[in-house]
Amino acid sequence: MKEIPAPVKPPERRRLSLPVATLIGLAALVTALGVGHLIAGFVGYNASPFVAVADFVIAHSPHPVVVWAEQTLGTADKTVLKIGLAVVLVLFAVLAGQLSRRKPLAGQVLVGLLGIAGVAAVYERTDVGQLALLAPVVALVASLLVFGWLHRYALPPAFDESRAPEGPTRRQVLVRGAGVAAGAGVAAIAGQVISGAGDAEASRAAVGPLIPSRKAPPLPADADFQKLGSPPFITPNADFYRIDTAFVVPQVRTEDWSLKIHGLVDREVTLSYADIRTRPLVEREITMTCVSNEVGGDLISTAKFIGVDLVDLLDRAGVRQGAEQMYATSVDGFTCSTPANVALDPKRGAMLAIGMNGEPLPVEHGFPARVVIPGLYGYVSATKWVTDLEFAKWDSRQSYWLERGWAEQAPIKTESRIDTPSGFASVTAGKVRVAGTAWAQHIGIAKVEVRVDQGPWQQAMLSAQVNKDTWRMWWAEVDVPSGTHSVTVRATDQSGYTQTDQIADPVPNGASGWHSVSLNAH
């Protein structure tokens, strides 16, 4: 009887291991980021795919998310965004690798979709030219090529499935993938160097001393009560609060900067940095406040700003009757709307500032130049890296925050806070010293009162008033019996208005309410 041969088991289809597949996806990702950053060095830093996508996320995030990020994360919001975006990209890269353990097509499609998102993010930008699209396009092509190349190397095509070539070892694939990553890193560094990311600091250092022809008067000795627990009157530049939408701090050299004033004006004016630098400079102490500042919050700081009177520059352009807003644009595309009547008021003291606390503006605070307008929340008055001022009607243009439902008119509300003792502090029962800060910019603080629990209001000692556009410090001694008690503060401004105890969220025109802290007395 003829023996029937056993059925031949078909060869098992080859596939990449999980670590190797993951490596291929990650190698394609770092290639896209590195090459994109390199090309961006030639066509514009903000064309870097990672930067463009991050700015796209900032610009298109739902308004409640933006508010939550500012209030919860404060100045760490950009760092959290960087980390979050990096994690998402890594997850997509890993997924692309896992989908391609047998064939590269599925992973390449996913990589392609990510690349198209980068192209769309750059295309939407208004601060880069058409050549900027080269960065995400070349990044996309490079990532697809690397993905396919590494996939073929790790899983070479077999002409005879029953005699599949052995292929490289995992170590060999790892070495090749590490080489790709190293090359991408070199490309990213080269892009950073080519883009001149350090040039802004060099340009800033070359500005030289800024000597105002109208210097602010010396601060009185009792301008603050720092020894009693208030902050210093002048906030050091390193401690000055920073809230903006810039994912990457714009790097602008003085020789590349200009300011255009146009729109509803008699004549269009374009000014260079030299035009501003050589004008007589003025120095003013101004307290700035972020609209996102919660009751008792710390998004408020004071500096000596040096610059020129904004109204003098606007007079050169001849702003026409009927202009309702000054629509300011930053070099990174951020926009801000200021009521035109405020910007044009010679008594307001609005400035185009080029210096801060005796030195050129720090890069992160707007170097080479920024707008500073006393008495208005920063989102309508404090455009950093400003490069364009257009006068227009309200209904013709909507700036970044107005599109998100914030108020057109944004005068800073009269507010106060307790700086010391901190909330839930343990104190000795009896006389307790309380100190803090109050502000009512462009009106001035007249009185600050504190009380324990629901007891009578007690007037606090005020520091010397420097001017009506700055904060004012206070302190008082209150009787705190044993146990847990609350201390509350309220301020009255020089118009006679006492801050309301009605609690309001920052949206749409600033928070309100009385600040209280709980103390444990023993």
Side-chain angles (χ1 to χ4, degrees):
M1 184 175 175
K2 189 176 180 181
E3 185 177 349
I4 300 175
V8 178
K9 185 178 180 181
E12 188 174 318
R13 293 194 66 189
R14 300 170 308 128
R15 65 177 183 174
L16 299 172
S17 66
L18 287 172
V20 169
T22 298
L23 173 66
I24 292 173
L26 292 175
L29 171 64
V30 297
T31 297
L33 297 179
V35 170
H37 209 63
L38 173 61
I39 303 301
F42 295 96
V43 299
Y45 187 82
N46 287 333
S48 175
F50 188 80
V51 174
V53 170
D55 280 332
F56 182 89
V57 171
I58 293 172
H60 295 278
S61 293
H63 184 245
V65 174
V66 175
V67 174
W68 174 87
E70 284 196 350
Q71 294 175 359
T72 306
L73 304 174
T75 55
D77 57 347
K78 308 301 185 303
T79 301
V80 172
L81 176 58
K82 289 178 184 178
I83 295 171
L85 181 57
V87 168
V88 170
L89 291 176
V90 166
L91 291 176
F92 269 97
V94 171
L95 178 61
Q98 300 309 305
L99 292 175
S100 305
R101 294 181 65 190
R102 296 190 188 279
K103 293 183 179 181
L105 181 59
Q108 287 177 313
V109 169
L110 188 55
V111 169
L113 291 175
L114 284 177
I116 291 171
V119 173
V122 173
Y123 178 78
E124 189 188 62
R125 298 193 70 95
T126 59
D127 57 335
V128 292
Q130 293 181 346
L131 277 178
L133 287 173
L134 280 174
V137 169
V138 174
L140 169 59
V141 172
S143 63
L144 291 174
L145 291 175
V146 165
F147 194 98
W149 173 65
L150 278 178
H151 198 284
R152 286 192 301 273
Y153 177 73
L155 193 66
F159 297 99
D160 183 352
E161 287 285 356
S162 64
R163 301 179 61 188
E166 205 173 290
T169 64
R170 182 183 298 180
R171 179 187 176 88
Q172 289 172 318
V173 177
L174 179 62
V175 169
R176 187 161 291 199
V180 170
V186 170
I189 293 171
Q192 192 79 5
V193 172
I194 293 168
S195 68
D199 284 356
E201 283 295 353
S203 179
R204 179 174 179 268
V207 168
L210 298 173
I211 302 174
S213 58
R214 285 182 287 160
K215 193 172 178 61
L219 292 177
D222 56 349
D224 63 47
F225 296 136
Q226 191 174 1
K227 292 181 179 179
L228 303 181
S230 78
F233 184 83
I234 297 296
T235 310
N237 287 350
D239 298 331
F240 205 98
Y241 83 89
R242 179 196 163 202
I243 296 290
D244 52 56
T245 64
F247 178 68
V248 175
V249 175
Q251 304 285 327
V252 186
R253 302 182 306 169
T254 56
E255 54 265 45
D256 299 327
W257 178 87
S258 65
L259 177 67
K260 180 180 178 182
I261 305 173
H262 62 115
L264 295 177
V265 297
D266 293 333
R267 64 198 70 84
E268 186 175 295
V269 173
T270 300
L271 300 163
S272 68
Y273 189 83
D275 293 330
I276 304 301
R277 179 72 178 82
T278 54
R279 293 176 69 90
L281 301 178
V282 60
E283 180 183 56
R284 293 192 181 102
E285 296 102 343
I286 297 173
T287 297
M288 298 179 64
T289 309
C290 180
V291 72
S292 297
N293 200 38
E294 296 278 3
V295 173
D298 60 358
L299 298 181
I300 177 171
S301 303
T302 299
K304 288 187 176 183
F305 289 100
I306 299 173
V308 298
D309 285 316
L310 183 61
V311 70
D312 289 348
L313 304 181
L314 302 181
D315 284 347
R316 286 185 59 181
V319 179
R320 294 175 186 168
Q321 290 287 333
E324 295 173 341
Q325 65 164 315
M326 182 179 75
Y327 187 87
T329 303
S330 169
V331 72
D332 68 346
F334 172 79
T335 56
C336 166
S337 295
T338 303
N341 64 313
V342 177
L344 292 165
D345 182 359
K347 296 180 180 179
R348 175 65 64 158
M351 299 176 68
L352 181 72
I354 61 173
M356 183 174 175
N357 292 336
E359 60 186 64
L361 283 172
V363 175
E364 64 272 19
H365 287 293
F367 179 84
R370 70 174 299 168
V371 176
V372 178
I373 301 179
L376 300 181
Y377 285 117
Y379 80 98
V380 299
S381 69
T383 307
K384 293 186 275 192
W385 315 288
V386 65
T387 189
D388 189 281
L389 299 176
E390 178 185 357
F391 283 84
K393 299 283 190 180
W394 283 117
D395 58 5
S396 67
R397 308 276 270 167
Q398 272 218 309
S399 59
Y400 181 89
W401 287 112
L402 267 60
E403 285 181 339
R404 288 155 177 79
W406 294 74
E408 288 179 355
Q409 311 292 325
I412 296 173
K413 295 180 178 179
T414 300
E415 284 291 319
S416 56
R417 75 177 186 214
I418 298 170
D419 292 311
T420 187
S422 58
F424 305 104
S426 292
V427 298
T428 301
K431 293 287 186 183
V432 175
R433 179 179 292 136
V434 186
T437 315
W439 57 91
Q441 288 96 309
H442 208 61
I443 300 174
I445 290 293
K447 180 173 65 175
V448 171
E449 299 168 292
V450 293
R451 72 178 183 187
V452 178
D453 298 327
Q454 299 300 312
W457 290 102
Q458 173 184 332
Q459 192 161 330
M461 175 72 70
L462 287 177
S463 65
Q465 177 175 281
V466 174
N467 62 55
K468 294 182 179 181
D469 292 326
T470 55
W471 55 10
R472 206 163 176 188
M473 314 306 177
W474 59 268
W475 72 272
E477 279 193 346
V478 294
D479 287 310
V480 181
S482 296
T484 300
H485 301 275
S486 66
V487 179
T488 304
V489 62
R490 71 180 184 184
T492 300
D493 64 33
Q494 292 181 20
S495 74
Y497 169 79
T498 299
Q499 72 177 96
T500 179
D501 62 342
Q502 298 298 308
I503 297 173
D505 290 331
V507 182
N509 61 354
S512 67
W514 293 341
H515 185 219
S516 297
V517 296
S518 293
L519 302 179
N520 298 314
H522 53 82

